[in-house]
Amino acid sequence: GAVVSQHPSRVICKSGTSVKIECRSLDFQATTMFWYRQFPKKSLMLMATSNEGSKATYEQGVEKDKFLINHASLTLSTLTVTSAHPEDSSFYICSAPQVQGNYGYTFGSGTRLTVV
Amino acid sequence: AQSVTQPDIHITVSEGASLELRCNYSYGATPYLFWYVQSPGQGLQLLLKYFSGDTLVQGIKGFEAEFKRSQSSFNLRKPSVHWSDAAEYFCAVGGSGGSNYKLTFGKGTLLTVNP
């Protein structure tokens, strides 16, 4: 079945630094990638939608300059948390929809970001 | 706008007992409905999904869900719970294409299983 590989699974960084999270579709082409953020004991909140070759669409309240999303190819989407602060600590998950064949959504395994 | 309500934040059942997790949705057209399970610190695993056809959907790990359009519900059931079922369960609704196919999640129901 379709697989989305997300890396890193865990990252600890210092305040003020930037962190890049990658999601790769391994056996299918992901023209769209959804990026979610999950706070402890909370649901998944959609942050943005990336589309290959075009600018990402951000949900209301999400800072575009802080959460940079790039979808440079049909198999790779990246989320960069810039100038990270402790309040950015969270669990980030990507998801690629499959609109043909076995319709559904394939999720990455998530990235636990801790900013110290 | 689409939305999902999971009324129960936390449910505790005994191992071997039956389980029902509630989910109500709001969506302007025929919804695509999903149930996911998440273990602590892990990603999401799809339990089952409904697009059309038979309103009783069978999933993995012995779970099933029934789509009731009149009640805007998609409740998840399991006849006999195992200790390994303890996890967070999320109901989600999505659409069929374009901007409609982003998933909206409920707040989740935490399942605790007592021995």
Side-chain angles (χ1 to χ4, degrees):
Chain A
V3 175
V4 171
S5 177
Q6 183 171 350
H7 293 280
S9 58
R10 291 179 179 272
V11 59
I12 301 174
C13 71
K14 293 183 178 180
S15 289
T17 61
S18 295
V19 173
K20 179 183 284 188
I21 302 170
E22 292 188 348
C23 280
R24 294 182 182 273
S25 56
L26 297 186
D27 49 3
F28 68 103
Q29 293 182 332
T31 57
T32 299
M33 191 74 74
F34 299 112
W35 287 92
Y36 292 87
R37 179 175 180 175
Q38 185 179 31
F39 292 97
K41 301 185 184 300
K42 298 291 185 182
S43 186
L44 285 81
M45 301 301 297
L46 181 64
M47 298 173 63
T49 303
S50 72
N51 293 289
E52 188 268 336
S54 63
K55 290 184 178 181
T57 303
Y58 290 81
E59 297 299 303
Q60 191 173 8
V62 177
E63 297 177 62
K64 300 178 182 181
D65 294 333
K66 165 164 279 296
F67 299 101
L68 299 180
I69 290 175
N70 184 276
H71 198 139
S73 76
L74 289 172
T75 58
L76 176 63
S77 177
T78 61
L79 166 66
T80 301
V81 183
T82 63
S83 187
H85 291 281
E87 56 265 31
D88 299 325
S89 298
S90 194
F91 193 60
Y92 295 88
I93 307 177
C94 61
S95 173
Q98 297 164 256
V99 297
Q100 296 178 344
N102 187 17
Y103 180 86
Y105 300 80
T106 300
F107 285 83
S109 55
T111 297
R112 170 70 61 193
L113 170 63
T114 303
V115 184
V116 297
Chain B
Q2 59 198 58
S3 66
V4 177
T5 301
Q6 293 180 248
D8 304 305
I9 297 174
H10 187 188
I11 284 183
T12 300
V13 299
S14 298
E15 190 169 16
S18 63
L19 172 70
E20 181 170 38
L21 302 182
R22 295 184 290 165
C23 173
N24 292 96
Y25 68 90
S26 174
Y27 191 75
T30 299
Y32 286 20
L33 295 160
F34 305 80
W35 273 101
Y36 290 91
V37 60
Q38 183 181 36
S39 297
Q42 302 297 312
L44 297 172
Q45 181 180 25
L46 177 68
L47 287 176
L48 46 79
K49 59 187 178 184
Y50 171 79
F51 296 153
S52 64
D54 193 346
T55 56
L56 184 62
V57 180
Q58 302 298 320
I60 63 172
K61 303 184 178 185
F63 285 94
E64 67 177 25
E66 186 171 12
F67 171 62
K68 293 185 177 180
R69 184 186 299 275
S70 61
Q71 298 177 19
S72 297
S73 70
F74 189 57
N75 295 346
L76 181 72
R77 300 193 294 252
K78 186 169 184 178
S80 178
V81 170
H82 188 262
W83 64 267
S84 60
D85 294 324
E88 187 91 30
Y89 291 79
F90 293 98
C91 181
V93 64
S96 59
S99 62
N100 291 331
Y101 63 72
K102 55 183 170 183
L103 275 181
T104 298
F105 287 86
K107 293 186 182 300
T109 298
L110 177 64
L111 174 66
T112 298
V113 181
N114 288 333

